[in-house]
Amino acid sequence: MTLDFLEILKVTFLGIVEGITEWLPLSSTGHMLLVDEFIHLNTSDAFREMFFVVIQLGAILAVVVLFWKKMWPFQLKDKTQPKVKRNTISLWLKVVVACIPGAVVTLLFDDFIEAHLHTPIVIASMLILYGLAFILVESWNKLRTPRIQTLDDITYKTAFLIGLFQVLSIIPGTSRSGATIIGALLIGVSRVSAAEFTFFLAVPVMFGLSAFKLIKFGFAFTGTELIILLIGMAVAFVVSLLVIKFLMGYIRKHDFKLFGVYRILLGFAVLGYFLFAG
């Protein structure tokens, strides 16, 4: 294939969609698959399957840049002696615990999910289902005070339970951040801490899943495919920087109901289109 201006526009748009939807609880993979129905990339199916996952590395790098001080477990006590931040080490160990359920399920069922559940109807159904879940959970949360206010308050048990919720995100349209945030809110984690733990959790999950997809693809890139991937990642990185800053400011004053409403409206729009217009 040749890389023409139209293909660059398509990849740029996909990068924008990825950067917005990776961190807002809207399902980045679901949106990417839906967008691809209308602006189909002129690539092989194998590359496209890998692209929709590996492009998320751009978004992950944005988190690393913005939260570097919180994520990096070492600091210089003076110019020569590094100091280990034990609370950060502990947090990363909890993240590892939270990753275990998703890693097991992905290894066992990834091929089945790719073959049978990457459909517009499944995506739309999950958009609606978890949109309703956000509205119901947030309504319930108004009646109680979160018992876990900071990242340091998250225990290994809580981390593992959040990891179990993350397993749900293997179904397209669910949203990895959406599933973990809903799970964290149900357990009693504050919105801000739920979002921040989701950011931490995304780093090893997406690096691991991207490595898995790259190995599966075989690193057999053409020059054009490599350029497409790099453009998508670069755009996702820049957009993610802006979206993460917006989200952290938004949830300090608002709940997630608005995202639930958006998911429901989009889900019904997608169902209507593919059931009646197709």
Side-chain angles (χ1 to χ4, degrees):
M1 65 169 288
T2 58
L3 184 62
D4 56 26
F5 183 67
L6 181 59
E7 289 299 305
I8 293 175
L9 286 180
K10 290 179 183 179
V11 175
T12 300
F13 185 68
L14 286 169
I16 293 171
V17 172
E18 164 59 28
I20 293 174
T21 58
E22 180 63 39
W23 305 114
L24 303 183
L26 305 176
S27 176
S28 61
T29 302
H31 276 75
M32 297 279 280
L33 291 171
L34 289 174
V35 169
D36 187 58
E37 289 284 335
F38 300 97
I39 57 167
H40 204 63
L41 279 178
N42 186 25
T43 63
S44 68
D45 290 340
F47 175 81
R48 208 157 44 246
E49 177 188 325
M50 179 274 298
F51 173 83
F52 288 147
V53 174
V54 179
I55 188 179
Q56 296 174 75
L57 285 179
I60 297 303
L61 289 176
V63 162
V64 173
V65 169
L66 291 175
F67 288 86
W68 177 254
K69 289 184 178 180
K70 282 190 175 184
M71 291 184 169
W72 184 245
F74 307 103
Q75 65 183 26
L76 289 179
K77 193 173 182 180
D78 54 41
K79 291 186 177 181
T80 58
Q81 289 183 306
K83 178 183 176 182
V84 177
K85 295 185 284 186
R86 294 188 178 183
N87 58 333
T88 305
I89 295 290
S90 176
L91 181 58
W92 278 117
L93 291 175
K94 293 168 187 174
V95 167
V96 171
V97 169
C99 288
I100 294 173
V104 172
V105 172
T106 298
L107 289 172
L108 291 176
F109 298 106
D110 181 68
D111 288 339
F112 175 84
I113 297 296
E114 292 282 356
H116 300 287
L117 298 184
H118 277 214
T119 68
I121 302 303
V122 170
I123 293 170
S125 300
M126 292 301 101
L127 285 170
I128 295 169
L129 177 62
Y130 285 91
L132 290 170
F134 265 115
I135 294 172
L136 293 173
V137 169
E138 285 289 22
S139 297
W140 179 52
N141 264 350
K142 283 188 175 181
L143 306 175
R144 63 185 192 141
T145 301
R147 61 182 180 82
I148 300 173
Q149 295 287 347
T150 68
L151 288 176
D152 290 340
D153 295 331
I154 294 176
T155 64
Y156 284 95
K157 178 182 177 181
T158 300
F160 184 74
L161 290 174
I162 293 174
L164 290 177
F165 278 96
Q166 184 180 236
V167 170
L168 299 171
S169 67
I170 193 172
I171 302 175
T174 297
S175 169
R176 184 194 51 76
S177 62
T180 55
I181 288 172
I182 285 177
L185 293 176
L186 285 172
I187 295 167
V189 182
S190 68
R191 289 189 196 96
V192 172
S193 294
E196 288 185 343
F197 190 76
T198 296
F199 295 155
F200 271 78
L201 189 55
V203 175
V205 167
M206 293 316 306
F207 273 114
L209 189 56
S210 295
F212 177 72
K213 290 293 185 180
L214 284 169
I215 292 171
K216 188 176 179 181
F217 183 71
F219 295 94
F221 297 105
T222 64
T224 300
E225 288 173 339
L226 183 58
I227 293 172
I228 286 175
L229 184 59
L230 291 177
I231 291 174
M233 289 173 59
V235 174
F237 171 77
V238 174
V239 174
S240 290
L241 290 174
L242 301 174
V243 170
I244 293 168
K245 290 181 179 179
F246 160 77
L247 179 63
M248 295 310 296
Y250 179 87
I251 62 176
R252 293 181 192 280
K253 299 178 181 179
H254 306 88
D255 59 27
F256 287 101
K257 284 184 179 179
L258 181 62
F259 300 113
V261 172
Y262 168 83
R263 290 178 64 105
I264 292 169
L265 293 176
L266 178 62
F268 277 115
V270 172
L271 280 178
Y273 178 84
F274 284 100
L275 289 178
F276 303 110

